Structures are given as structure tokens and as C-alpha cells.
């Protein structure tokens, strides 16, 4: 699931769009590049998120899977592009 877009189904951040940056057994870590940066991703229970689309930007996803350095701006740009496409 790393590199996928996800929406929060529960909590004060309900309906917020994130990118999954790390996955564990029961939890995922999500970031949006603004309030939740890569330095401090939000820990969410897998039950409380909905995977919106399987993959984000291919380059961004590959960087996450390989453990390469990515920047918050790359995440913001990917989410912004996704939201624009979603509203059309």
C-alpha cells in the first residue's frame, strides 16, 4: 500500500487525503506534506482509512519503495493533482 492515495474515514481529519508512506501490520503512516510532513507522519489504523486509488505518481511511489529521499513538496504536488482530477 505504500505510495497509494488514502482518505481518512474517522477522526478529526475525516475525508482528508494523504499518501501512505509506511505500512505496519495494523497501522499505516500517512503524510500530506503540510500539517503531516514526512518527519512526523500520522499513524492511522488500517480500519480508519480508505485507499482511494492504488498508485500515486510512479516516480514518487518508486522513491518511497526504495527508501530514497522525497520532499514534502512532492507529496503536496501529487495530492493537489489528484484532487484536481477528482473534482473534474
Amino acid at each position: 500500500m505504500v505510495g497509494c492515495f488514502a482518505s481518512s474515514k474517522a477522526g478529526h481529519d475525516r475525508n482528508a487525503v494523504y499518501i501512505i508512506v509506511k505500512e505496519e501490520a495494523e497501522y499505516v503512516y500517512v503524510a500530506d506534506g503540510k500539517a503531516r510532513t514526512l518527519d512526523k507522519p500520522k499513524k492511522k489504523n488500517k480500519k480508519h482509512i480508505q485507499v482511494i486509488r492504488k498508485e500515486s505518481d510512479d516516480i514518487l511511489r518508486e522513491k518511497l519503495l526504495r527508501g530514497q529521499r522525497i520532499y514534502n513538496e512532492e507529496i503536496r504536488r501529487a495530492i493537489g493533482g489528484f484532487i484536481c482530477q477528482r473534482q473534474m
Side-chain angles (χ1 to χ4, degrees), residues 5 17 53 76-88:
F5 288 108
V17 178
R53 189 170 77 179
R76 286 193 303 266
R77 193 176 316 125
I79 291 173
F82 172 75
I83 290 173
C84 286
Q85 288 177 358
R86 192 171 161 189
Q87 291 176 350
M88 290 182 161

Side-chain angles (χ1 to χ4, degrees), residues 18-87:
Y18 296 105
I19 290 182
I20 299 171
V21 294
K22 184 179 174 185
E23 182 178 7
E24 292 181 350
E26 294 182 37
Y27 298 98
V28 293
Y29 291 86
V30 295
D32 66 0
K34 292 179 189 175
R36 289 297 174 170
T37 61
L38 290 167
D39 298 331
K40 294 183 180 182
K42 183 163 182 68
K43 183 178 180 180
K44 296 285 283 182
N45 190 315
K46 285 184 179 180
K47 297 179 204 174
H48 297 160
I49 64 160
Q50 165 119 22
V51 177
I52 300 173
R53 189 170 77 179
K54 280 294 179 192
E55 297 177 2
S56 61
D57 184 303
D58 291 335
I59 296 169
L60 181 62
R61 186 169 192 272
E62 284 298 316
K63 284 184 175 182
L64 284 168
L65 292 173
R66 291 183 181 167
Q68 294 177 337
R69 176 79 172 139
I70 59 172
Y71 299 96
N72 291 312
E73 184 168 321
E74 291 176 292
I75 291 177
R76 286 193 303 266
R77 193 176 316 125
I79 291 173
F82 172 75
I83 290 173
C84 286
Q85 288 177 358
R86 192 171 161 189
Q87 291 176 350

